[in-house]
Amino acid sequence: MSVESAAQIITTQRLIDKKQRGEKIAMLTAYDYTMARILDSVGIDVILVGDSAANVMAGHETTLPITLDQMIYHAQSVVRAVKRALVVVDLPFGSYQGNSKEALNSAIRIMKESGADAVKLEGGEEIAESVRRILCAGIPIMGHLGLMPQSINKFGTYAVRAREAEEAEKLARDARLLEELGCFAVLLEKIPAALGKKVAGELKVPVFGIGAGGGVDGQVLVAHDMLGLLQEFSPRFLRRYHNLYNEMRDAFARYVSDVRSGDFPNEKEQY
Ligand code: KIV
């Protein structure tokens, strides 16, 4: 690797440096090689192999069913495509909540079997012991607070979190704890913008947001959502950059019609 290309590669420290320089940081999800290659080619900073793969790739209602083996498969596909971005992988539901040894083993499997750069865990003080143990093994962690989809059965709703003072104070406390423990970043999901800004102001490590307003250091969206592939999902925080659902539907419909009419393949498209 040349010195120049090594300088381009995103590391956890470079993300912290970006925050110090006041540079905003861009993150998107990917679950497969093709998408990750396109994202890396535009210079995205972080690619998240999110457990939202359970919804987007497998059609589950929640993120709970996806397994550690399935997350590793998605992470391997993404890592094969990426030359520059930092690849962060979600520890799936059930792979770290039991105890800190189980959490460490799951994180080690992700790092060893996929070659990813870091893991992401949902929770604050409840998972502090696991966070500590994983960090002790030299595995970087991005924390995740606010709306935590793995706890949807406890929350009972995907509504905005931490509107009330008590929950907002706990969230800010948890974010500080995650930084103290050594997490390189914290992701805040679906919380009031003012709280996102306050937490980002208190932390030295980058704070990412999805539905956490413009006052945080970085943004993340699910790539399939911002491409307009899943039409039924339209929360307020989602900006659609394309209407790929309609474009793909149109292309597929034209193919079906061309096959049926005998127009495809034509003379030039055969041997
Ligand atoms: O799994 C996921 O895609 C996430 C989002 C909040 C970005 O964690």
Side-chain angles (χ1 to χ4, degrees):
M1 185 186 303
S2 70
V3 175
E4 193 182 38
S5 60
Q8 303 284 320
I9 289 170
I10 304 293
T11 61
T12 54
Q13 184 55 49
R14 287 201 169 120
L15 293 179
I16 295 167
D17 296 344
K18 273 178 186 283
K19 169 160 181 159
Q20 271 167 11
R21 292 195 296 268
E23 288 172 30
K24 296 275 188 181
I25 310 170
M27 167 159 72
L28 281 168
T29 59
Y31 321 111
D32 68 280
Y33 176 85
T34 308
M35 186 77 87
R37 232 180 123 196
I38 302 172
L39 288 181
D40 202 44
S41 77
V42 301
I44 194 95
D45 299 303
V46 185
I47 296 181
L48 174 65
V49 184
D51 58 359
S52 51
N55 314 107
V56 176
M57 303 303 282
H60 290 294
E61 290 259 321
T62 72
T63 58
L64 274 62
I66 200 160
T67 66
L68 185 57
D69 284 337
Q70 287 166 339
M71 287 304 296
I72 290 170
Y73 168 79
H74 287 299
Q76 287 169 336
S77 310
V78 167
V79 167
R80 265 179 229 122
V82 173
K83 295 196 168 62
R84 178 183 176 278
L86 188 90
V87 178
V88 180
V89 182
D90 267 334
L91 281 190
F93 177 70
S95 73
Y96 64 100
Q97 289 90 346
N99 58 60
S100 63
K101 186 163 185 281
E102 176 188 61
L104 176 61
N105 288 342
S106 301
I108 287 177
R109 276 202 63 203
I110 287 186
M111 300 299 282
K112 218 180 174 78
E113 295 178 40
S114 76
D117 301 303
V119 296
K120 176 163 80 61
L121 279 71
E122 295 181 8
E125 64 174 332
E126 309 78 11
I127 59 158
E129 192 46 45
S130 298
V131 168
R132 199 173 284 120
R133 201 151 172 184
I134 293 170
L135 288 167
C136 275
I139 300 173
I141 297 181
M142 175 183 285
H144 182 153
L145 300 169
L147 177 63
M148 294 177 278
Q150 293 179 10
S151 299
I152 186 58
N153 293 308
K154 185 175 85 181
F155 294 148
T157 165
Y158 285 103
V160 176
R161 302 304 312 177
R163 280 197 193 276
E164 306 302 326
E166 199 182 327
E167 193 178 335
E169 278 156 27
K170 173 169 166 35
L171 185 146
R173 216 171 37 246
D174 280 342
R176 289 193 297 271
L177 173 67
L178 291 171
E179 174 171 77
E180 274 160 35
L181 290 171
C183 291
F184 75 92
V186 176
L187 168 65
L188 303 178
E189 180 164 354
K190 225 171 171 189
I191 59 161
L195 179 59
K197 188 173 177 189
K198 170 180 140 66
V199 173
E202 284 177 359
L203 266 51
K204 291 201 170 55
V205 298
V207 174
F208 289 87
I210 177 163
V216 292
D217 310 299
Q219 297 293 330
V220 59
L221 286 175
V222 170
H224 288 65
D225 293 337
M226 57 87 80
L227 290 172
L229 272 163
L230 300 162
Q231 296 207 312
E232 54 285 356
F233 184 65
S234 56
R236 184 207 282 225
F237 66 74
L238 175 60
R239 184 180 294 181
R240 284 223 174 85
Y241 286 82
H242 217 306
N243 191 341
L244 218 47
Y245 178 88
N246 282 354
E247 296 219 1
M248 287 178 74
R249 217 172 161 272
D250 183 52
F252 295 147
R254 282 194 288 121
Y255 168 79
V256 170
S257 156
D258 288 352
V259 170
R260 288 188 182 151
S261 71
D263 181 72
F264 177 79
N266 64 25
E267 286 290 318
K268 289 187 195 147
E269 291 163 334
Q270 49 193 299
Y271 301 100

